[in-house]
Amino acid sequence: MQTVELIPVPDSDIPFLLPLFSCSVPAGFPSPASDEIEEMFDLNRLLLRHPDATYLVRVMGESMAGAEIHEGDLLAVDKQMEADHNHIVVAVIDGECTVKRLWCEDGAWWLKPENPAFKPWQIHDAGDVQIWGVVTHVLHELIPGKMGALLRTRD
Amino acid sequence: MFGLLDINNFYCNCESVFQPRLQGKPVVVLSNNDGCIISRSAEAKVLGLQMGDPYFQVKELLERHQVHVFSSNYPLYGDMSRRVMYCLAQNAPEVEIYSIDEAFMDLHGMERYLGSLDTFARNLRAKVLKRTGLPNCVGVAPTKTLAKLANRLAKKQPEHGGVVFLDTDERRRWALEQVAVEDVWGVGRQYAAKLTAAGIYSAAELAACSDSFARKHLGGVVGARLVRELQGYPCHGLAPSEDGSLRRQSICCSRSFGQALTSFDDVLGAVATFLSRGAEKLRRQADAAHMLTVFVSKSRYGLEPPPYTFSAVVTLPRATNDTGELLTQARAVLAAIWQPGRYVKAGIVLDGLEPAGQVQLSLFCAEPPSEKRSLIMAEMDALNRRFGKNTVRLATAIPAPGLAVAPWAAKASWRSPAYTTQLSDLLQVR
């Protein structure tokens, strides 16, 4: 009787659905592919491991520029995941939230920025730092659009 | 077995999840319109601040101890509540959402799958804390009333690690001894006074009452069930949750104003705003209302003698959920009860609900409900859902030109950002 497996219920968020086509689309001319729509997929479910435990935060500053995380980007932060070596995490130091890479070297743990202009911070006492969540995705706008516009209106 | 999970100091903890610097500091959250304290952090409780303390009375104390004060931020609390409930729904077989920060779980027969319910409760508690950052407590017991009582003990006595499991009769008796009769779920202030007068002080003494005593002094069968539940015999199952299956019997929408209003048009604007909200809720559950109540209140603290609240009820010619139709009635009602003065609060109640579309036509009602009107309402709701609240509304509910904020808008001077529901309000990290 111990073999029953509970299947997690899918997230009830309003899904953002994109059609997935099962035929290849020849370049040059649009194919009347609308008859071939196979399924709709939800970007949230495709990308996020735990949609209900994921929070979006906005990046300020360029301390993580080396990891392709820039000012104004959105980060998906998973609170359910256990943070580990080499994860990029949101950590709380002195009551402030910061995004850094969690790094273990010779038994010592560090919060490392990815920008030579910033200094790494060694975790001496586990009580000094609190891991708020693990960053799973970066949302970076390559073509100026709504995200950037939203940011500009705030400044 | 039933479980009850409840978030500690829910509103305060929602704030400190997104502002970690608040951890370990005294924090309070104020009710709508910044009226009184509705949530306190542990550190604020130590200062002697009580639930319901009016802000203006404790302002000095708050300032002296540098208490962090917040206006209520319901978009944030609502979303965090949704995340908690989602986590419970994934882990427990059946969940009844009892309030914004607590839920009952039906765990009958689940020992076979879950193993020890004590371990299950501890894991669940840790999961909710991990996923949301919200500390919480769990009570597990044979009945809902006992689960509530166990939850209370888990909260008050930190040595249990946030979980109290009343699996044996000894444990049940032990728990009943710890709780005063006024703190039992279902015992209000009046019954508590009655019981203490009869020499019943603890939950254990209440559980030892006879069935006939409970029936006589605690409101008949309700009281008898309460005592049976304390004895460990379940009388209440899970009630359907607010997922649409639990339909409201009446809809009330009322708010106090951020400032006193004296002009009829301003008060009518407020009434129209609340009415629009009420009618929207009515349409969401696909109902129509037969009766409309409008009430307005003057300040109690002025020079005028009572009464302070004036209200009137109209029976509508036919049941409707059309905001325009309802507003025509509300305007007439307000005009009838109107007198000059300084008004601080208004509200509407929609009663006598019946499913829309099965409306009984009136003999004296000229025209049948028009299909076009209901299409307009549906369109309006769709636009407001898509582009945000108040995108389309009745002209009466719009403040006079030149006013950025409606004069009736409630005060919310210290509201934190809507961290999880507004893109412009996201938490910022460096």
Side-chain angles (χ1 to χ4, degrees):
Chain A
M1 280 311 290
Q2 295 285 345
T3 54
V4 186
E5 192 186 341
L6 284 189
I7 299 164
V9 185
D11 187 33
S12 60
D13 252 358
I14 299 166
F16 177 66
L17 299 173
L18 299 172
L20 176 67
F21 296 96
S22 63
C23 64
S24 59
V25 182
F29 208 77
S31 143
S34 52
D35 291 344
E36 304 288 329
I37 292 181
E38 199 165 58
E39 62 179 294
M40 304 290 267
F41 68 78
D42 178 358
L43 214 47
N44 286 334
R45 281 172 66 188
L46 181 76
L47 298 178
L48 306 178
R49 284 159 201 250
H50 312 115
D52 62 305
T54 298
Y55 299 77
L56 287 180
V57 305
R58 185 185 306 284
V59 179
M60 303 289 289
E62 292 285 347
S63 72
M64 292 300 283
E68 293 305 332
I69 296 177
H70 300 284
E71 167 114 14
D73 286 358
L74 298 187
L75 304 179
V77 184
D78 190 324
K79 271 179 95 71
Q80 194 176 341
M81 270 178 73
E82 290 297 336
D84 206 347
H85 166 66
N86 207 18
H87 278 158
I88 291 176
V89 298
V90 171
V92 179
I93 304 172
D94 296 332
E96 294 297 324
C97 285
T98 178
V99 54
K100 295 288 174 290
R101 191 182 292 279
L102 187 63
W103 193 260
C104 182
E105 210 168 283
D106 305 327
W109 287 88
W110 295 79
L111 285 173
K112 277 188 14 180
E114 298 275 344
N115 184 338
F118 293 80
K119 281 208 180 80
W121 193 85
Q122 190 179 356
I123 304 171
H124 290 291
D125 182 357
D128 290 348
V129 66
Q130 194 186 329
I131 301 297
W132 200 89
V134 177
V135 178
T136 56
H137 299 84
V138 186
L139 210 59
H140 179 78
E141 214 167 55
L142 294 175
I143 296 167
K146 279 190 182 164
M147 246 170 70
L150 192 72
L151 207 61
R152 279 193 297 280
T153 55
R154 275 170 52 82
D155 295 337
Chain B
M1 286 285 169
F2 289 93
L4 176 75
L5 184 140
D6 180 308
I7 308 288
N8 307 351
N9 318 325
F10 180 59
Y11 298 165
C12 284
N13 273 317
C14 283
E15 299 292 346
S16 60
V17 165
F18 293 92
Q19 297 185 45
R21 67 189 169 85
L22 298 174
Q23 283 170 12
K25 306 254 167 67
V27 179
V28 297
V29 174
L30 303 179
S31 61
N32 230 323
N33 210 12
D34 297 341
C36 48
I37 295 177
I38 50 168
S39 180
R40 307 160 294 160
S41 71
E43 295 76 14
K45 286 177 189 171
V46 171
L47 295 176
L49 294 164
Q50 299 295 322
M51 283 296 260
D53 276 352
Y55 172 68
F56 74 93
Q57 268 180 15
V58 292
K59 196 172 163 205
E60 224 168 279
L61 182 71
L62 295 171
E63 276 165 13
R64 187 151 22 104
H65 294 281
Q66 302 184 334
V67 179
H68 298 264
V69 178
F70 289 94
S71 307
S72 33
N73 180 350
Y74 286 108
L76 176 66
Y77 310 152
D79 183 62
M80 293 307 281
S81 170
R82 182 190 64 79
R83 289 173 189 259
V84 170
M85 299 311 168
Y86 178 82
C87 181
L88 297 186
Q90 271 190 325
N91 288 282
E94 220 181 323
V95 178
E96 173 194 342
I97 298 172
Y98 183 64
S99 74
I100 192 164
D101 63 347
E102 57 185 324
F104 283 105
M105 291 163 281
D106 190 347
L107 303 173
H108 278 233
M110 288 306 282
E111 287 94 337
R112 269 179 122 176
Y113 170 67
L114 298 170
S116 150
L117 290 184
D118 187 64
T119 315
F120 165 76
R122 282 175 205 285
N123 289 342
L124 185 66
R125 180 172 179 270
K127 258 184 210 168
V128 169
L129 176 64
K130 180 103 179 92
R131 288 189 187 191
T132 60
L134 298 170
N136 58 89
C137 288
V138 186
V140 182
T143 69
K144 282 172 88 174
T145 310
L146 285 171
K148 190 94 180 162
L149 196 129
N151 183 284
R152 184 184 172 82
L153 290 176
K155 226 176 229 184
K156 299 270 170 194
Q157 304 178 353
E159 62 268 25
H160 305 301
V163 174
V164 167
F165 181 27
L166 306 181
D167 49 346
T168 61
D169 212 42
E170 286 82 68
R171 292 280 291 164
R172 182 182 67 82
R173 282 170 203 281
W174 162 82
L176 289 173
E177 294 290 342
Q178 318 275 314
V179 176
V181 75
E182 66 261 32
D183 295 327
V184 172
W185 188 45
V187 176
R189 202 182 300 167
Q190 287 196 347
Y191 281 147
K194 226 177 186 178
L195 286 167
T196 45
I200 296 167
Y201 298 99
S202 74
E205 285 164 336
L206 180 59
C209 283
S210 70
D211 189 66
S212 55
F213 175 88
R215 273 177 196 269
K216 191 164 173 203
H217 298 286
L218 294 173
V221 72
V222 179
R225 281 192 187 138
L226 173 63
V227 171
R228 293 286 286 169
E229 283 247 317
L230 287 177
Q231 292 168 348
Y233 303 101
C235 302
H236 302 294
L238 289 196
S241 313
E242 282 201 53
D243 55 4
S245 55
L246 187 74
R247 290 199 355 205
R248 292 186 179 89
Q249 299 297 306
S250 79
I251 291 171
C252 173
C253 195
S254 88
R255 299 263 187 288
S256 47
F257 311 141
Q259 61 191 62
L261 300 179
T262 51
S263 95
F264 180 83
D265 285 346
D266 282 349
V267 176
L268 180 64
V271 168
T273 305
F274 306 151
L275 189 67
S276 307
R277 191 84 195 100
E280 202 179 296
K281 283 185 188 170
L282 202 54
R283 293 193 291 272
R284 200 184 308 152
Q285 64 179 43
D287 274 342
H290 260 301
M291 270 192 306
L292 169 68
T293 309
V294 176
F295 64 90
V296 285
S297 301
K298 290 184 184 176
S299 169
R300 277 162 200 278
Y301 307 107
L303 296 169
E304 281 180 77
Y308 301 112
T309 298
F310 308 89
S311 72
V313 190
V314 276
T315 305
L316 305 172
R318 60 159 182 260
T320 180
N321 58 20
D322 183 313
T323 310
E325 229 171 277
L326 286 166
L327 184 57
T328 311
Q329 300 286 344
R331 186 195 302 268
V333 174
L334 184 63
I337 58 175
W338 179 260
Q339 45 184 288
R342 294 168 59 77
Y343 290 91
V344 293
K345 187 177 180 177
I348 58 102
V349 185
L350 296 164
D351 267 319
L353 307 192
E354 63 176 48
Q358 303 177 16
V359 174
Q360 178 72 53
L361 295 183
S362 160
L363 181 59
F364 304 106
C365 199
E367 41 193 316
S370 113
E371 233 168 75
K372 265 191 193 156
R373 290 290 305 185
S374 62
L375 274 179
I376 292 176
M377 290 298 128
E379 236 9 86
M380 189 164 88
D381 291 345
L383 284 170
N384 286 336
R385 258 199 309 278
R386 182 162 168 204
F387 296 104
K389 250 186 225 168
N390 291 340
T391 304
V392 181
R393 54 190 155 160
L394 295 183
T396 316
I398 297 177
L403 285 179
V405 194
W408 56 85
K411 273 184 279 193
S413 315
W414 306 283
R415 183 176 293 164
S416 52
Y419 292 109
T420 58
T421 49
Q422 287 287 335
L423 267 184
S424 54
D425 283 6
L426 293 178
L427 178 67
Q428 303 195 336
V429 297
R430 296 201 166 268

